[in-house]
Structures are given as structure tokens and as C-alpha cells.
Amino acid sequence: MTIKDTPEEWEVRATETPFKGNKTSVRTDDVVMPDGSVARRDYQVHPGSVAVLALDDEDRVLVLRQYRHPVRHKLWEIPAGLLDVPGENPLHAAQRELYEEAHVKAETWRVLTDVYTTPGGCDEAIRIFLARDLSRAEGERFEVEDEEADMELARVPLGELVEGVLAGDLHNNCLVVGVLSLVAARQGAGLDALRPAGAPWPARPFGG
């Protein structure tokens, strides 16, 4: 048996969108089950996101501390952002987020992992990149607003983040998945065996 997620789409008898927000919406589908019955499923429709695990030459990860109102916490996270432009190349979006949130650029990029954040209730897909060979970005710093105006920036040793994840002290999805994926990649075929930065992403197809 091959352990691999596969695309599949069950029949939808009816659909409606009871809520539309600035970036996301809520959809209600009447889905035909295998026994022929129909079940109603509510879920958030999301444009998708990218995140960047930026690793410097001292084996430190660039992290941000940001307030997240739905969970009433300030969370340590890796740079991330929405795919605001339909069909946008996710690498370009990731490079933009790293610049805007940390004023940093990277010379070496790989795909670290792709995940669905909460597939039972949201269709959000995130591509997490590994960025290396970091340097300070040129030009003016991006002007932040709202929660981002209160962000803290730090570079934390990878091992310290692993300890924080396993101790239950760090909870951000992208940070947890990214940090543990990096450790697993190193213990496996190595970082250079990771997928190239332009690897296909069926969950969010993109142009050049």
C-alpha cells in the first residue's frame, strides 16, 4: 500500500456562502456520503499561505512574536503571509514576506513541506520554505500596521525551538511543522535533497 494523500471530490448537492470577510469566507456544502445520505459541512474558504523557516549560518531560526486574537496569545512564529494574488508563485510570496516582516533576503530556497492546517474545517494550504544564506535586505523597511506594529524579532537556536515545541511552550502551526521537518530532513537525505523552490503544488497551482 502506498501511503500518499490522493485527490477526491464527493458530490455536492447544494452550496451557499453565509459569510464573506476581507480575506476568507465560510461555505456550507450539502455533501453526498458513501451510503447516499446527505450531510451538511461548514468550512472556511482560504486563499492559502506561505511561511519561511529562515536559517542563518549559526543554526538560528528567524522568529517573530505576534499577538493572535482568536487564541488570545502572543505566539512565536516564522515569517508567513497570505497568497493575496490568485495564481501567484508561492516562492515570490515567501520572499516578499521575509522582506516585509524581517527585512531579510535569502540566496538559497527549498520547499520544506506542504500542509493543510485544519482540513476538517478549513481548506487553507500552506507551503513552508527553507531559506538559507541570509543577509540584510536593501532599501527601506516595510511599514507595518495593526498587530504587526507590535511584533518582536529574534534569532533563536534551532535546538531551543525543538525543546520548546516538545515541551508544549510553542504552538504556532508553521513553526512547529517547520522546525520538526527541518530536523527530520537533516536526519534523512539532507537539506539539499529537499524539493526545489519551484516544485509543483497541486493544492495551490501557480504560474511562473
Side-chain angles (χ1 to χ4, degrees):
M1 181 175 62
T2 301
I3 304 299
K4 182 178 181 180
D5 296 337
T6 55
E8 184 168 340
E9 188 167 353
W10 292 1
E11 179 187 352
V12 175
R13 290 278 174 84
T15 186
E16 60 185 69
T17 305
F19 170 80
K20 289 185 178 181
N22 291 331
K23 299 294 184 180
T24 66
S25 60
V26 173
R27 182 176 297 163
T28 298
D29 289 344
D30 291 339
V31 186
V32 179
M33 297 289 109
D35 65 358
S37 63
V38 176
R40 176 156 287 196
R41 294 290 177 261
D42 303 316
Y43 59 99
Q44 183 184 17
V45 178
H46 194 285
S49 307
V50 291
V52 185
L53 195 151
L55 186 69
D56 70 14
D57 294 337
E58 298 178 39
D59 214 38
R60 300 176 302 175
V61 176
L62 194 156
V63 291
L64 310 162
R65 189 168 182 246
Q66 184 172 350
Y67 176 65
R68 294 300 187 183
H69 185 70
V71 295
R72 302 327 196 254
H73 270 70
K74 273 192 172 182
L75 300 179
W76 285 103
E77 308 178 350
I78 57 178
L82 296 175
L83 288 169
D84 293 315
V85 181
E88 181 180 19
N89 187 315
L91 174 60
H92 298 165
Q95 291 170 331
R96 180 183 66 243
E97 291 300 330
L98 185 61
Y99 167 78
E100 291 181 356
E101 294 193 348
H103 204 63
V104 166
K105 63 180 180 179
E107 296 300 322
T108 305
W109 291 81
R110 295 276 184 172
V111 174
L112 190 53
T113 190
D114 299 326
V115 295
Y116 289 115
T117 54
T118 48
C122 179
D123 72 351
E124 182 182 14
I126 294 184
R127 169 157 281 188
I128 303 176
F129 290 91
L130 172 64
R132 292 176 289 166
D133 300 319
L134 309 181
S135 62
R136 182 179 177 82
E138 300 172 354
E140 297 292 325
R141 291 191 67 95
F142 182 77
E143 190 170 331
V144 297
E145 59 184 10
D146 299 329
E147 290 91 343
E148 292 182 350
D150 187 53
M151 283 195 311
E152 302 171 49
L153 178 66
R155 297 193 183 204
V156 179
L158 176 63
E160 186 174 330
L161 293 177
V162 172
E163 291 176 1
V165 168
L166 299 180
D169 295 331
L170 299 172
H171 306 88
N172 175 261
N173 182 291
C174 292
L175 184 146
V176 171
V177 173
V179 163
L180 298 185
S181 294
L182 176 58
V183 172
R186 280 181 165 173
Q187 293 176 349
L191 302 186
D192 290 335
L194 291 168
R195 286 172 291 161
W201 189 16
R204 293 294 185 273
F206 57 91

